[in-house]
Amino acid sequence: MIEIVHSPIDQKRVVEAVSSPAAGAVVTFDGTIRNHARGKSVTHLFYQAYAPMAVKELEKIQSEALRRWPLQEVAVVHRLGRMEIGESSVFIAVSAAHRRDAFEACRFVIDTLKTTVPIWKKEFYEDGEVWIEGSAG
Amino acid sequence: MELDRPAPVEDLFARLAAQTPALDAYRGSLLIAVNEEYGRWDTLVSDGDELAFFPPVSGGRP
């Protein structure tokens, strides 16, 4: 499952997408909207994507994870648009026979996603807003 | 824009920057995609291809 959505992510559905009788572990990553950045209070975020390419890049990451580790399934759902503090912008689920592979692959998926998938976020503060560029934190 | 023959990305960017000089300031940090795949400044673009320039993606500290 690879999806870009514009409404709250149904996390249960993502976990169900990777469930397998052969899995001994399901590892999930929930990327949530943080209330601070660069020493400022964040009021909310806005995510935008080059969507068709973002889906393609997510599919490449999924394929690469499945190639590198003995996994059952990999699912990634990224949300776009305005999100409030505490909401999930991205949710990843990885299933594997053994937990080590699931943990490592899940980390690979989120770390790679942050550098290759064309998705951008704009941070809104009490006194302004700014588009965040790669690896700025 | 229309192309008579395949041209490298850098030539097409130069054409865009000639129309919109402010673009030049971003040249060093832009990422390139041709037909929704990452490309380079020397990637050849043909008529009908989709060319995109965009800033580095959202990042985040691990």
Side-chain angles (χ1 to χ4, degrees), chain A residues 79-97:
Chain A
R79 183 178 168 189
L80 302 179
R82 176 181 170 139
M83 279 161 253
E84 310 301 325
I85 304 305
E87 286 194 293
S88 298
S89 58
V90 59
F91 194 84
I92 298 166
V94 177
S95 59

Side-chain angles (χ1 to χ4, degrees), chain A residues 119-135:
Chain A
I119 294 176
W120 303 274
K121 66 179 175 187
K122 192 178 205 178
E123 289 177 351
F124 288 79
Y125 319 105
E126 296 293 351
D127 60 349
E129 59 199 57
V130 65
W131 282 106
I132 304 306
E133 290 206 353
S135 302

Side-chain angles (χ1 to χ4, degrees), chain A:
Chain A
M1 169 194 275
I2 296 292
E3 288 181 11
I4 301 268
V5 299
H6 293 82
S7 51
I9 297 170
D10 182 347
Q11 301 185 352
K12 187 162 171 284
R13 202 169 63 86
V14 187
V15 172
E16 283 169 1
V18 304
S19 72
S20 156
V26 174
V27 169
T28 62
F29 174 80
D30 182 4
T32 55
I33 307 304
R34 186 180 54 226
N35 70 356
H36 64 280
R38 280 159 280 275
K40 301 182 83 166
S41 287
V42 173
T43 58
H44 62 280
L45 290 188
F46 187 89
Y47 279 82
Q48 189 178 61
Y50 181 19
M53 183 171 170
V55 169
K56 281 189 185 180
E57 289 297 318
L58 287 171
E59 287 169 348
K60 284 183 194 169
I61 296 169
Q62 179 190 46
S63 300
E64 180 66 11
L66 289 166
R67 193 185 67 76
R68 284 203 205 180
W69 288 275
L71 308 174
Q72 300 302 321
E73 295 287 347
V74 174
V76 184
V77 178
H78 207 299
R79 183 178 168 189
L80 302 179
R82 176 181 170 139
M83 279 161 253
E84 310 301 325
I85 304 305
E87 286 194 293
S88 298
S89 58
V90 59
F91 194 84
I92 298 166
V94 177
S95 59
H98 303 288
R99 66 183 179 278
R100 178 191 294 268
D101 296 321
F103 272 117
E104 288 180 3
C106 189
R107 177 163 195 167
F108 164 80
V109 171
I110 184 60
D111 287 352
T112 311
L113 182 160
K114 291 283 191 177
T115 59
T116 66
V117 181
I119 294 176
W120 303 274
K121 66 179 175 187
K122 192 178 205 178
E123 289 177 351
F124 288 79
Y125 319 105
E126 296 293 351
D127 60 349
E129 59 199 57
V130 65
W131 282 106
I132 304 306
E133 290 206 353
S135 302

